């Protein structure tokens, strides 16, 4: 019997890429490929790249070069680039990086097995030719669902899936194979974005916004629960737009309680929310539904009106603070995180001071800060009034120092609170770590439990916060509070 072909998936970038990698894994395993963790043990190393900003693109290139080095002294015979960077640059990436044996776009995902076999056999598959994916679906959101079947939408999966792709759970199984044993998993709620932020190129290679049907999201969540997942995180480029192409912009408000009722699911988290699209009903559901955590990943980007207008965004410091006050009036313990860009073209000292005013008053739990740099194909890249790179670097360093202090202060405010922690790692030497409701995976810090007796990965435990380490919390499990994963509540 011939030895099975082996493949390793190396994933960079955001949680949406992680979902896409697990879709590729599901397709490959269904077609007979053996999935391995280490690229050195694989016939083919597939690198799921990120194409968002320069640093992410550099990481993607480094990962491809590192995988290529394995061809000289390991089992690896081919290295293939997929993901956002491959979709965005296609042939250009292939020419600039001949070490990649293939550069595949989203349109290749449905035939990923054949593509890899061709490359592994020494054949040549023409590198992906980039195109503006916003033009693949109708301008009107109401007309998009009918056209969706003809467009590659990673992480969505077809309505009727091939036999054996995943264990059955309901009428449809997700086109997905888990790549780790984590008790948390992301679920794609939608793809693409209709916003036209002047600094962002994502819509051009991810396409226009299109929602997944609620039944598909529910069935995938049920399947994940069967795999031992306790927390799901809903991801997309903009979750606040969910349902607008399905005829109901409030569809998320009705879907969240249904997801929370799935057997085995302890926690439902929503990421990627647009402040300008937040509505009272959604805030109510996020702050009052059992198992749906009061967590707000709000994309503020800045707070000075002039800078926001140049970014093609809306709002200002006072309106943003009012939004946060509304949220905390309903859920004082709510977690809030956001990202910000400093050094945007035309940003004045007064604009920077306005951003500082917002940050100081916002009491955010986690903050990401980025210095502006041109992204080709974006409106902002054509702007004049660019700031000197040294000025951008100086402002980035200044705001970064400020935000470090602010998130540490916010963590200290939580000392004395009782938090419900999902245990994610148990190690005799390093200790027991998990996350509270206000902490999303990998981005918002974690909780170190002072005692790990009786705890295992995937368990929920009530604990009292007794200290902090920067953004991280130190918490003491409450006597008799160990909660089996079947327990409901938040």
């Amino acid at each position: 019997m011939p030895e099975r072909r082996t493949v390793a998936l190396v994933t960079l970038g955001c949680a949406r890429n992680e979902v896409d990698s697990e879709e590729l894994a599901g397709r490959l395993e269904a077609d007979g490929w053996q999935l391995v963790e280490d690229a050195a043990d694989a016939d083919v190393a597939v690198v799921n790249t990120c194409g968002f900003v320069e640093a992410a693109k550099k990481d993607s290139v480094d990962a491809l070069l590192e995988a290529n080095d394995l061809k000289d002294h390991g089992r690896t015979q081919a290295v293939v680039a997929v993901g956002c960077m491959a979709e965005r640059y296609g042939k250009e990436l292939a020419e600039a990086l001949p070490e990649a044996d293939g550069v595949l776009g989203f349109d290749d995902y449905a035939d990923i097995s054949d593509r890899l076999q061709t490359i592994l056999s020494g054949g040549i598959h023409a590198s992906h030719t980039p195109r503006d994916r916003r033009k693949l679906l109708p301008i009107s959101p109401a007309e998009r669902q009918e056209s969706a079947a003809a467009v590659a939408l990673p992480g969505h999966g077809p309505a009727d899936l091939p036999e054996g792709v995943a264990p059955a759970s309901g009428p449809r199984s997700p086109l997905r194979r888990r790549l780790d044993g984590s008790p948390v998993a992301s679920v794609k709620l939608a793809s693409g974005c209709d916003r036209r932020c002047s600094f962002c190129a994502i819509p051009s290679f991810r396409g226009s916004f299109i929602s997944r049907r609620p039944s598909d999201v529910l069935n995938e969540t049920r399947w994940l629960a069967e795999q031992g997942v306790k927390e799901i995180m809903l991801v997309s480029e903009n979750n606040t737009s969910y349902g607008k192409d399905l005829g109901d912009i409030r569809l998320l408000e009705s879907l969240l309680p249904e997801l929370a009722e799935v057997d085995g699911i302890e926690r439902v988290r929503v990421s990627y929310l647009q402040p300008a699209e937040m509505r009272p009903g959604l805030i109510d559901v996020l702050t009052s539904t059992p198992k749906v955590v009061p967590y707000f990943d709000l994309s503020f980007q800045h707070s000075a009106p002039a800078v926001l207008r140049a970014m093609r965004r809306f709002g200002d410091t006072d309106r943003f603070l009012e939004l946060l006050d509304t949220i905390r009036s309903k859920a004082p313990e709510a977690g809030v995180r956001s990202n910000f860009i400093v050094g945007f073209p035309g940003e004045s000292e007064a604009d920077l001071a306005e951003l500082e005013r917002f940050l100081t008053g916002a009491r955010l739990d986690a903050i990401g800060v980025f210095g502006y740099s041109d992204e080709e194909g974006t409106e902002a890249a054509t702007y004049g009034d660019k700031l000197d790179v040294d000025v951008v670097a100086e402002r980035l360093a200044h705001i970064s120092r400020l935000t470090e202090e602010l998130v540490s202060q916010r963590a200290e405010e939580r000392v004395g609170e009782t938090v419900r922690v999902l245990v994610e790692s148990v190690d005799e030497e390093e200790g027991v770590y998990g996350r509270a409701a206000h902490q999303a995976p990998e981005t918002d810090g974690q909780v170190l439990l002072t005692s790990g007796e009786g705890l295992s990965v995937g368990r929920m435990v009530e604990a009292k916060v007794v200290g902090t380490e920067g953004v991280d919390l130190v918490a003491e499990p409450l006597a008799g509070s160990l909660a089996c994963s079947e327990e409901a509540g938040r």
Side-chain angles (χ1 to χ4, degrees):
M1 184 174 179
E3 189 176 6
R4 291 180 70 187
R5 304 160 294 176
T6 57
V7 59
L9 286 144
V10 180
T11 306
L12 295 94
C14 65
R16 291 160 291 186
N17 259 15
E18 294 172 7
V19 175
D20 294 349
S21 285
E22 293 195 349
E23 175 192 335
L24 293 174
R27 290 183 182 276
L28 289 166
E29 189 170 65
D31 204 45
W33 290 77
Q34 180 181 348
L35 297 164
V36 296
E37 290 186 17
D38 193 336
D41 298 327
D43 297 318
V44 184
V46 177
V47 180
N48 192 347
T49 61
C50 179
F52 181 36
V53 294
E54 284 303 319
K57 286 183 276 190
K58 181 182 183 303
D59 288 344
S60 295
V61 170
D62 289 346
L64 287 163
L65 292 174
E66 184 178 335
N68 182 70
D69 289 342
L70 297 173
K71 291 192 288 187
D72 295 330
H73 52 266
R75 173 171 177 157
T76 309
Q77 301 172 52
V79 176
V80 176
V82 299
C84 291
M85 191 176 180
E87 174 65 37
R88 184 175 181 183
Y89 296 104
K91 289 182 178 180
E92 182 183 342
L93 176 62
E95 292 169 1
L97 198 70
E99 291 85 353
D101 299 287
V103 176
L104 307 180
F106 298 150
D107 293 336
D108 292 304
Y109 282 22
D111 301 306
I112 186 67
S113 179
D114 290 342
R115 299 287 187 266
L116 296 191
Q117 187 58 58
T118 295
I119 293 167
L120 189 60
S121 301
I124 297 175
H125 178 72
S127 296
H128 162 68
T129 300
R131 52 181 172 167
D132 189 340
R133 298 191 74 85
R134 291 172 293 191
K135 299 178 180 179
L136 301 183
L137 291 169
I139 293 176
S140 170
E143 299 174 5
R144 290 178 189 166
Q145 291 289 330
E146 293 181 5
S147 307
V151 177
L153 296 169
H156 282 231
D160 298 303
L161 303 175
E163 196 74 33
V165 168
S169 61
R172 303 183 209 180
S173 302
L175 190 59
R176 181 170 182 172
R177 195 270 202 185
R178 297 219 67 206
L179 292 174
D180 62 39
S182 170
V184 59
S186 296
V187 175
K188 192 168 284 191
L189 195 62
S191 290
C193 185
D194 288 341
R195 301 183 71 86
R196 294 295 177 260
C197 301
S198 63
F199 57 84
C200 184
I202 290 176
S204 67
F205 56 85
R206 277 291 185 179
S208 298
F209 184 90
I210 185 163
S211 305
R212 293 182 71 195
R213 295 191 176 277
S215 58
D216 293 339
V217 178
L218 275 164
N219 282 325
E220 184 168 349
T221 299
R222 293 186 185 109
W223 177 77
L224 288 167
E226 292 172 4
Q227 310 308 301
V229 168
K230 303 303 177 186
E231 175 181 330
I232 61 164
M233 183 167 73
L234 301 178
V235 300
S236 76
E237 280 72 22
N238 177 11
N239 282 332
T240 35
S241 283
Y242 181 68
K244 72 176 186 179
D245 52 321
L246 293 171
D248 185 0
I249 192 61
R250 296 177 300 279
L251 197 55
L252 184 55
E253 286 93 306
S254 58
L255 177 60
L256 285 171
E258 293 185 71
L259 292 170
E261 291 176 1
V262 171
D263 286 344
I265 295 298
E266 293 281 343
R267 184 181 281 171
V268 178
R269 185 182 306 276
V270 184
S271 62
Y272 305 116
L273 301 169
Q274 287 293 337
E277 296 181 31
M278 290 301 293
R279 49 195 179 268
L282 180 56
I283 294 174
D284 287 343
V285 170
L286 288 170
T287 55
S288 65
T289 307
K291 293 190 182 180
V292 176
V293 294
Y295 176 80
F296 294 81
D297 177 8
L298 294 162
S299 177
F300 289 120
Q301 302 298 345
H302 211 284
S303 73
V307 176
L308 287 168
R309 301 305 174 267
M311 289 179 169
R312 303 291 183 200
R313 297 178 65 83
F314 307 94
D316 56 49
T317 296
D318 293 331
R319 273 189 276 185
F320 290 163
L321 290 175
E322 183 179 344
L323 172 61
L324 295 177
D325 286 343
T326 298
I327 290 168
R328 289 175 174 135
S329 70
K330 297 175 180 294
E333 78 285 5
V336 187
R337 83 164 327 273
S338 191
N339 292 323
F340 298 88
I341 298 173
V342 296
F344 196 79
E347 181 190 63
S348 66
E349 291 285 356
D351 293 329
L352 192 67
E354 185 68 2
L355 175 59
E356 289 188 48
R357 182 168 80 89
F358 172 68
L359 290 170
T360 303
R363 298 169 55 233
L364 303 177
D365 291 278
I367 302 172
V369 187
F370 303 88
Y372 173 82
S373 62
D374 285 339
E375 277 294 311
E376 61 263 47
T378 64
E379 181 184 353
T382 69
Y383 287 176
D385 206 12
K386 300 272 176 62
L387 302 185
D388 186 87
V389 291
D390 291 337
V391 174
V392 175
E394 181 182 333
R395 293 185 179 184
L396 174 61
H398 170 66
I399 295 297
S400 295
R401 286 193 298 270
L402 173 64
T403 57
E404 271 189 43
E405 295 175 8
L406 292 172
V407 296
S408 294
Q409 290 172 13
R410 177 64 182 129
E412 289 170 3
E413 291 177 17
R414 292 190 180 275
V415 173
E417 284 187 9
T418 297
V419 293
R420 196 160 192 258
V421 180
L422 173 62
V423 177
E424 293 188 309
S425 67
V426 178
D427 187 278
E428 287 186 7
E429 294 183 3
E430 296 184 4
V432 179
Y433 284 89
R435 286 179 300 102
H438 69 280
Q439 297 169 318
E442 300 182 8
T443 60
D444 300 348
Q446 55 189 350
V447 179
L448 169 62
L449 293 171
T450 58
S451 171
E453 185 178 354
L455 294 178
S456 58
V457 172
R459 297 287 295 274
M460 283 284 191
V461 58
E462 300 279 344
K464 182 179 180 179
V465 180
V466 295
T468 65
E469 295 178 0
V471 70
D472 297 332
L473 304 181
V474 179
E476 181 181 325
L478 298 178
S481 69
L482 292 183
C484 295
S485 56
E486 290 80 15
E487 288 182 4
R490 178 169 58 187

